Amino acid sequence: MNPLLHLDYIPALESLGDDFYDLVAAAEFPQHRLRFRNDDLLARLGLEQAAISDGHFIAAFGQFRGREPFLALRYHGYQFGQYNPFLGDGRGFLYGQVRGIDGELYDLGTKGSGPTPYSRGGDGRLTLKGGVREVLAAEALHALGVTTSRTLSLVETGEALWRGDEPSPTRSSVMVRFSRSHIRFGSFERLHYHDRPDLMAKLLEHVIDVYYPGPRLYRDRPERFLAFYDELVDRVAALAAQWMAVGFCHGVLNTDNMSITAESFDYGPYAFIDRYDPSFTAAYFDHGGRYSYGNQPGICQLNLKALQTPLADLMAAADLEQLLTSYPKRYEQHYQTRMLAKLGLTSLTQNLPQDLAQDLVSETLTLLEAMAVGYHDFFLALTQQFSPQWRDQSEAIFATSLAASHPEAAHQLDTWRRTYHRSLQSLPPEAMATAADQLGRTNPKIVLLRPNIEAIWEPITLTDDWQPFYQLLQDLQHPFAG
Ligand code: AMP
Ligand code: MG
């Protein structure tokens, strides 16, 4: 018996009826090599790591034996601002939905499992490098406190794929993603396009029932729908703030990549920023910089605005618009909280006057733009050099390395130093230990920069050596350790 096939599977989406998906079969692959299994997630599914063999993983999530039906979900979306009614799961399907030991429902969804009615001429496959990149991104973001999907498994499948953006032929893989839900903004856009408010109401009721415990309390009252949108606006603002604070550029924020639970997912051409640069763009095909690092909060707001069109079939457009006006303020609040944590100050903000906190965050960004230093390097240097003496002596702050080696930003550093000093002074002396602790728990020692990915990919391609990949993964999963 394979325990992976006997989880607490619940056909929640399937039972909504076949208007929402197509039944599909998995591709048969010539080879199955398990390259990654997420034992951390097994525990969340109530499974003992030792009870699950690699063979179990391969049978369930590489050969796809013993569990059906598989559902290719239907959705549309705005891609780079253009409406596309030909989307849908084109290289994946919903494998199953499971109840975690926390009582929550999770989706197991594939990527690279073969063609579907939505493949649009594509091969339905995932490159091994694409799979490796998604595993790394999801684990790294999770460890940094970003609300994200994870990867349950990655199996190499022994095919040769041709891709424009990788040296080809390139190796193939199939991945199983673990997420809250794969219902997207685009799932609602599709139902509006087909003029099916009845189905949209059904889907929204489902979303609220399963993923929105707050709005669920309204039961049958009409406020329920607006309460959902209100909470979604807040969750999306929080997610955008998380990306910005950890220095992550998703790369492709089309509405089919926006989860209705506001969880981050689908890691294609993403990148972590090196220097702080709002115009940094991750996707090579994003010529206009639409989804640049700095545009992410605004694009998320635009996507929330686009979602109003379908939702207006069910609730008053003016009410939706009214709720969205709170987005910029909410985003700022979430972002401030995250950035103050990176400066060592979050759990102490009660004592920090709000205008001082705002000045500090904005001057930090000004400094980072002026100074030729890495975003993550700056916060790591702050963490490593921080001293309680900084509270007493403004000149002691970054007195050594940073000040001397960055004459180009001497003026901005001076301004920032005075504001940071004032911030520390507004706290009692005994708060300095808490600040040091906060810095250490927020600023990673290791970041998934592109060269780090290339460095682990090279031994895989040259000698099939996976050790550097496992080591990097381990480091990313414990970014604050030791
Ligand atoms: P993405 O940009 O990864 O979110 O993908 C956009 C759409 O293209 C989704 O509907 C995918 O399922 C589909 N897609 C991407 N790559 C392939 C492929 N190799 N074969 C078939 N469909 C694909
Ligand atoms: Mg996608």
Side-chain angles (χ1 to χ4, degrees):
M1 180 192 104
N2 184 345
L4 294 173
L5 302 178
H6 299 278
L7 295 166
D8 188 7
Y9 285 102
I10 296 171
L13 252 165
E14 191 188 339
S15 60
L16 291 184
D18 58 10
D19 291 302
F20 300 96
Y21 52 80
D22 294 75
L23 300 186
V24 294
E28 291 201 12
F29 299 110
Q31 215 178 62
H32 306 90
R33 293 215 172 110
L34 186 64
R35 296 306 189 183
F36 171 68
R37 48 178 281 172
N38 200 328
D39 289 336
D40 185 31
L41 287 181
L42 290 183
R44 300 222 341 234
L45 294 170
L47 295 171
E48 291 250 8
Q49 183 182 325
I52 314 296
S53 69
D54 289 1
H56 290 143
F57 265 99
I58 285 174
F61 303 144
Q63 294 168 322
F64 299 101
R65 290 210 192 111
R67 258 204 71 81
E68 270 168 3
F70 301 135
L71 318 179
L73 302 190
R74 300 175 179 177
Y75 51 84
H76 293 174
Y78 281 95
Q79 297 183 303
F80 289 88
Q82 294 292 324
Y83 194 74
N84 187 343
F86 306 106
L87 293 174
D89 280 338
R91 54 168 165 174
F93 49 70
L94 181 64
Y95 176 90
Q97 295 178 281
V98 285
R99 188 75 64 193
I101 52 169
D102 56 3
E104 301 286 359
L105 189 66
Y106 293 96
D107 281 16
L108 306 186
T110 63
K111 188 172 185 178
S113 50
T116 74
Y118 306 101
S119 297
R120 294 175 292 146
D123 58 8
R125 304 307 206 257
L126 171 68
T127 68
L128 182 61
K129 190 176 188 185
V132 161
R133 282 175 48 84
E134 173 146 345
V135 170
L136 291 170
E139 290 307 294
L141 289 171
H142 173 71
L144 294 173
V146 174
T147 307
T148 177
S149 70
R150 308 279 295 279
T151 310
L152 185 53
S153 63
L154 180 70
V155 173
E156 182 171 1
T157 47
E159 295 180 319
L161 305 180
W162 268 261
R163 289 291 186 275
D165 53 359
E166 282 183 39
S168 296
T170 188
R171 292 153 73 174
S172 66
S173 69
V174 65
M175 203 187 88
V176 173
R177 194 187 276 152
F178 177 92
S179 72
R180 285 317 313 277
S181 168
H182 282 144
I183 300 173
R184 305 130 195 266
F185 286 20
S187 312
F188 289 86
E189 287 167 336
R190 170 180 164 265
L191 296 170
H192 173 71
Y193 183 90
H194 290 313
D195 196 16
R196 293 300 302 267
D198 55 325
L199 293 178
M200 203 189 309
K202 193 173 181 181
L203 189 62
L204 186 54
E205 296 283 7
H206 168 76
V207 165
I208 293 171
D209 274 347
V210 182
Y211 308 106
Y212 284 83
R216 189 161 67 212
L217 296 175
Y218 287 96
R219 297 194 176 265
D220 296 332
R221 305 212 328 258
E223 297 95 313
R224 198 165 77 265
F225 285 179
L226 282 173
F228 150 79
Y229 188 70
D230 189 40
E231 185 169 336
L232 177 68
V233 167
D234 194 68
R235 288 192 197 181
V236 171
L239 176 62
Q242 291 167 12
W243 285 334
M244 295 305 288
V246 305
F248 182 75
C249 181
H250 179 285
V252 192
L253 293 178
N254 294 331
T255 59
D256 56 301
N257 282 343
M258 296 287 294
S259 163
I260 205 69
T261 70
E263 183 179 67
S264 173
F265 79 109
D266 208 1
Y267 303 115
Y270 71 85
F272 280 84
I273 55 166
D274 185 350
R275 291 269 310 275
Y276 178 76
D277 172 10
S279 73
F280 173 82
T281 303
Y284 68 92
F285 47 83
D286 185 2
H287 305 295
R290 181 183 178 90
Y291 299 136
S292 67
Y293 168 68
N295 277 1
Q296 294 182 117
I299 282 291
C300 286
Q301 185 177 354
L302 264 182
N303 288 341
L304 283 164
K305 167 89 182 146
L307 184 64
Q308 289 181 8
T309 303
L311 293 183
D313 294 347
L314 303 178
M315 48 201 122
D319 290 343
L320 290 165
E321 185 57 36
Q322 178 56 35
L323 290 173
L324 187 59
T325 57
S326 68
Y327 177 91
K329 189 152 176 265
R330 296 200 212 195
Y331 168 75
E332 273 313 319
Q333 277 166 355
H334 288 296
Y335 183 63
Q336 287 278 325
T337 305
R338 289 264 166 177
M339 292 308 286
L340 287 172
K342 290 184 77 64
L343 293 158
L345 300 173
T346 274
S347 49
L348 312 163
T349 38
Q350 309 84 297
N351 303 311
L352 209 59
Q354 184 152 5
D355 48 348
L356 181 58
Q358 269 169 8
D359 287 351
L360 178 62
V361 170
S362 81
E363 284 171 22
T364 303
L365 299 179
T366 305
L367 174 62
L368 284 166
E369 283 201 84
M371 191 164 47
V373 69
Y375 180 78
H376 310 283
D377 295 337
F378 173 83
F379 288 103
L380 189 57
L382 181 66
T383 304
Q384 291 173 337
Q385 293 177 36
F386 183 85
S387 150
Q389 285 175 355
W390 288 12
R391 188 180 171 280
D392 308 320
Q393 251 190 310
S394 149
E395 314 81 64
I397 298 176
F398 275 142
T400 51
S401 65
L402 212 66
S405 55
H406 291 281
E408 78 282 2
H411 173 67
Q412 289 88 342
L413 185 57
D414 219 48
T415 308
W416 177 85
R417 183 187 273 141
R418 269 184 268 122
T419 306
Y420 195 49
H421 182 235
R422 269 200 295 142
S423 304
L424 297 179
Q425 280 204 314
S426 69
L427 306 172
E430 57 283 6
M432 294 305 101
T434 319
D437 189 55
Q438 177 77 55
L439 285 166
R441 281 185 291 111
T442 316
N443 297 311
K445 292 202 165 82
I446 167 133
V447 178
L448 184 60
L449 298 179
R450 278 183 170 158
N452 295 341
I453 303 180
E454 295 312 313
I456 62 98
W457 182 246
E458 192 174 87
I460 293 173
T461 42
L462 292 181
T463 57
D464 206 29
D465 176 6
W466 287 76
Q467 223 36 58
F469 165 71
Y470 295 125
Q471 185 60 55
L472 177 61
L473 200 51
Q474 167 94 23
D475 294 344
L476 293 169
Q477 287 166 335
H478 306 95
F480 313 118

